[in-house]
């Protein structure tokens, strides 16, 4: 069996795409997913069997990387997955450390190779990876109000994540925790921009300790590993990170430094299924769990994540955006089965999913970046400056749940 071609399918995960005007401030491009592109790949062979995969990490750019790598793979045996991955990794090395762009290209192609191998052996990918620990994967999703939290819990979700952009949002976390009680796992994502400064991240981490969070995600920018260490040493709130890095080398500092309790590789840009298995093994040796990122990922990547999560002992939860773009289920042949806050692991050969090319073609790519910052994430009057990080002013008004005088300690 030889690879004959790699096809790419780039689409906009949105019903319509707004066109922001130059200089416009505060225009939300994300809702309903208008800044997201999904990039699917199909690896074809001379025997008619093909595999599908998905790439994230700036999909419009990744598509060109995939087409470049096609020249390396045509004529190769698709069953030698690790060998082909190594050839691709070495081939792109001369362009520098490409991060999630390179990781995205490697991920989608390698995912499709696993799909091919599963199909020709008649086995689901999880079986080829060593068998499964579990036949369903617990999920968490996102809520910012008590009303939304109630809706999601009614669907069966046992884990919810609250996004925060400033310290005042701590009050929202407390409201949801007090409303739901302690039966639901609660998480917080600081995700920036603007990123918190170290002192602000520490303050919020300490404020959240009483909420008994499952984890506090990306409290500071991922560029500064030493900042994670400072936050980790200053709060007992568990930390999580890793969605913005690719390959085991990108995840290594977080694991070897014991900087987090949870790693969050993105299945579409981590570097591939094998890379995620290696990340999980490294994390296991440090008593770190795995909760893959899925905030911007499409449906094929979700299938791949299910196979990985089924086969690792330190699986925690899988992120899912409930009530995602309404066309999500139409671009694939079958959606994973949702049952009481969990997704069932597929049992069909390969990944267990195929793409619907005609439906994908109805949604051509138009926009792949967030054009304007979201005003409420920034200090008043600074959104136009779009700072990467920001120390929040007004701490005396917004940051304290209660105001205590020095005499209270006497």
């Amino acid at each position: 069996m030889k690879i004959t071609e790699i096809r790419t399918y780039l689409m906009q995960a949105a019903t319509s795409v707004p066109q922001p005007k130059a200089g416009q401030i505060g225009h939300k491009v994300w809702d309903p997913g208008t800044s997201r592109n999904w990039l699917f790949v199909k690896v074809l062979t001379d025997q008619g069997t093909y595999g599908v995969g998905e790439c994230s990490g700036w999909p419009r750019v990744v598509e060109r990387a995939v087409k470049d790598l096609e020249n390396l793979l045509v004529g190769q045996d698709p069953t030698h997955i690790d060998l082909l991955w190594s050839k691709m990794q070495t081939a792109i090395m001369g362009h520098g450390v490409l991060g999630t762009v390179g990781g995205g290209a490697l991920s989608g192609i390698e995912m499709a190779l696993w799909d091919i191998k599963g199909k020709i052996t008649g086995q689901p990918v999880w079986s080829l990876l060593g068998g499964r620990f579990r036949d369903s994967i617990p999920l968490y999703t996102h809520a910012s109000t008590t009303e939304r939290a109630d809706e999601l819990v009614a669907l069966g979700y046992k884990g919810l994540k609250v996004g925060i952009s400033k310290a005042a949002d701590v009050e929202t976390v407390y409201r949801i925790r007090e409303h739901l009680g302690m039966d639901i796992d609660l998480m917080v994502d600081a995700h920036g921009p603007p990123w918190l400064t170290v002192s602000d991240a520490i303050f919020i981490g300490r404020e959240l300790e009483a909420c008994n969070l499952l984890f506090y995600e990306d409290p500071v920018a991922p560029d500064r590993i030493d900042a994670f260490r400072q936050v980790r040493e200053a709060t007992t709130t568990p930390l999580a990170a890793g969605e913005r890095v690719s390959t085991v080398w990108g995840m290594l500092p977080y694991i070897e430094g014991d900087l987090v309790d949870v790693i969050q590789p993105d299945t579409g840009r981590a570097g591939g299924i094998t890379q995620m298995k290696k990340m999980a093994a490294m994390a296991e040796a440090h008593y770190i769990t795995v909760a893959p990122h899925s905030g911007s990922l499409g449906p094929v990547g979700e299938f791949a994540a299910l196979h990985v999560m089924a086969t690792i002992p330190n699986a925690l939860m899988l992120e899912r955006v409930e009530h995602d773009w309404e066309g999500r289920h139409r671009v694939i042949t079958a959606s994973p089965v949702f049952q009481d806050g969990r997704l069932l692991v597929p049992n069909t050969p390969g990944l267990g999913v195929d793409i619907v090319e005609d439906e994908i073609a109805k949604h051509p790519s138009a926009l792949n970046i967030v054009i304007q910052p979201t005003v409420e994430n920034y200090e008043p009057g600074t959104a136009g400056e779009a700072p990467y990080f920001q120390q929040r002013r007004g701490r005396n008004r917004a940051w304290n749940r209660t105001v205590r005088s020095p005499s209270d300690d006497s």
Side-chain angles (χ1 to χ4, degrees):
M1 180 180 287
K2 304 295 182 185
I3 296 172
T4 57
E5 184 183 357
I6 300 180
R7 297 176 184 171
T8 58
Y9 305 85
L10 181 66
M11 64 165 289
Q12 193 85 36
T15 303
S16 62
V17 182
Q19 299 298 323
K21 298 178 181 178
Q24 184 179 4
I25 300 300
H27 182 71
K28 283 190 175 180
V29 193
W30 177 263
D31 187 19
T34 51
S35 68
R36 286 184 300 165
N37 277 200
W38 290 340
L39 174 61
F40 306 112
V41 301
K42 183 179 284 189
V43 176
L44 287 74
T45 70
D46 57 1
Q47 295 184 17
T49 301
Y50 64 85
V52 295
E54 183 178 351
C55 316
S56 62
W58 205 352
R60 284 167 72 106
V61 178
V62 173
E63 183 179 35
R64 298 310 310 156
V66 171
K67 296 305 292 183
D68 215 16
L69 286 168
E70 179 187 24
N71 300 299
L72 178 70
L73 298 179
V74 168
Q76 299 294 309
D77 184 338
T79 65
H80 299 307
I81 299 173
D82 287 351
L83 172 62
L84 296 186
W85 190 93
S86 184
K87 286 185 175 182
M88 289 189 289
Q89 169 71 1
T90 301
I92 65 178
M93 180 187 63
H95 297 302
V97 180
L98 298 183
T100 55
V101 172
L106 294 172
S107 294
I109 294 172
E110 196 245 27
M111 200 183 296
L113 298 179
W114 277 109
D115 191 31
I116 290 172
K117 195 157 191 172
K119 289 174 178 176
I120 64 176
T121 60
Q123 297 290 318
V125 170
W126 59 256
S127 180
L128 302 178
L129 296 175
R132 66 187 186 192
F133 284 88
R134 56 197 67 85
D135 57 13
S136 65
I137 309 301
L139 303 172
Y140 75 85
T141 190
H142 310 83
S144 57
T145 65
T146 55
E147 292 79 12
R148 179 61 173 155
D150 284 339
E151 293 173 4
L152 296 167
V153 171
L155 291 175
Y157 281 96
K158 308 298 192 299
L160 300 176
K161 187 164 72 176
V162 183
I164 66 171
S165 59
K166 50 190 177 297
D169 293 335
V170 170
E171 291 291 346
T172 300
V173 182
Y174 269 88
R175 279 196 300 272
I176 292 176
R177 168 55 83 204
E178 291 163 359
H179 178 74
L180 295 177
M182 291 296 180
D183 292 334
I184 299 298
D185 282 315
L186 201 59
M187 294 142 273
V188 161
D189 187 357
H191 57 64
W195 296 104
L196 297 169
T197 61
V198 173
S199 59
D200 289 356
I202 289 171
F203 184 92
I204 291 179
R206 287 174 173 169
E207 284 285 287
L208 292 171
E209 287 177 352
C211 288
N212 293 325
L213 298 182
L214 189 62
F215 59 73
Y216 176 23
E217 179 180 339
D218 281 340
V220 289
D223 315 78
R224 280 195 57 194
I225 296 298
D226 60 318
F228 269 90
R229 182 171 292 105
Q230 293 176 63
V231 177
R232 181 131 176 105
E233 292 173 351
T235 177
T236 60
T237 301
L239 302 186
E243 70 178 65
R244 290 172 173 83
V245 301
S246 63
T247 77
V248 290
W249 298 286
M251 196 67 75
L252 185 65
Y254 297 98
I255 296 174
E256 284 203 336
D258 287 313
L259 300 182
V260 295
D261 301 272
V262 184
I263 58 169
Q264 301 173 291
D266 182 297
T267 316
R269 59 187 179 223
I273 287 174
T274 306
Q275 286 292 297
M276 287 186 67
K277 283 279 287 187
K278 290 180 177 181
M279 290 175 184
M282 291 165 52
E284 180 188 358
H286 289 256
Y287 304 106
I288 293 170
T289 56
V290 182
H293 171 257
S294 188
S296 55
L297 200 59
V300 175
E302 183 173 65
F303 270 83
L306 291 176
H307 287 274
V308 173
M309 292 290 276
T311 64
I312 60 175
N314 50 337
L316 181 63
M317 304 179 88
L318 176 63
E319 182 179 23
R320 194 178 213 212
V321 180
E322 186 61 40
H323 298 143
D324 192 16
W325 172 60
E326 53 86 24
R328 182 183 182 96
H329 68 281
R330 296 197 302 268
V331 301
I332 52 174
T333 52
S335 297
V337 178
F338 178 88
Q339 191 174 93
D340 193 28
R342 305 172 74 94
L343 288 181
L344 302 187
V345 177
N347 284 315
T348 49
L351 291 175
V353 67
D354 201 352
I355 58 175
V356 180
E357 297 179 25
D358 290 344
E359 184 63 31
I360 293 170
K362 296 176 184 177
H363 308 278
S365 170
L367 182 68
N368 198 197
I369 57 173
V370 177
I371 297 295
Q372 302 292 344
T374 305
V375 169
E376 57 262 32
N377 288 359
Y378 288 88
E379 288 296 320
T382 66
E385 302 167 15
Y388 185 61
F389 72 94
Q390 188 172 58
Q391 183 161 0
R392 276 59 168 187
R393 299 189 292 273
R395 291 166 64 110
N396 57 318
R397 296 188 304 275
W399 285 53
N400 295 299
R401 289 174 55 78
T402 58
V403 178
R404 301 169 65 237
S405 67
S407 60
D408 292 337
D409 297 322
S410 59

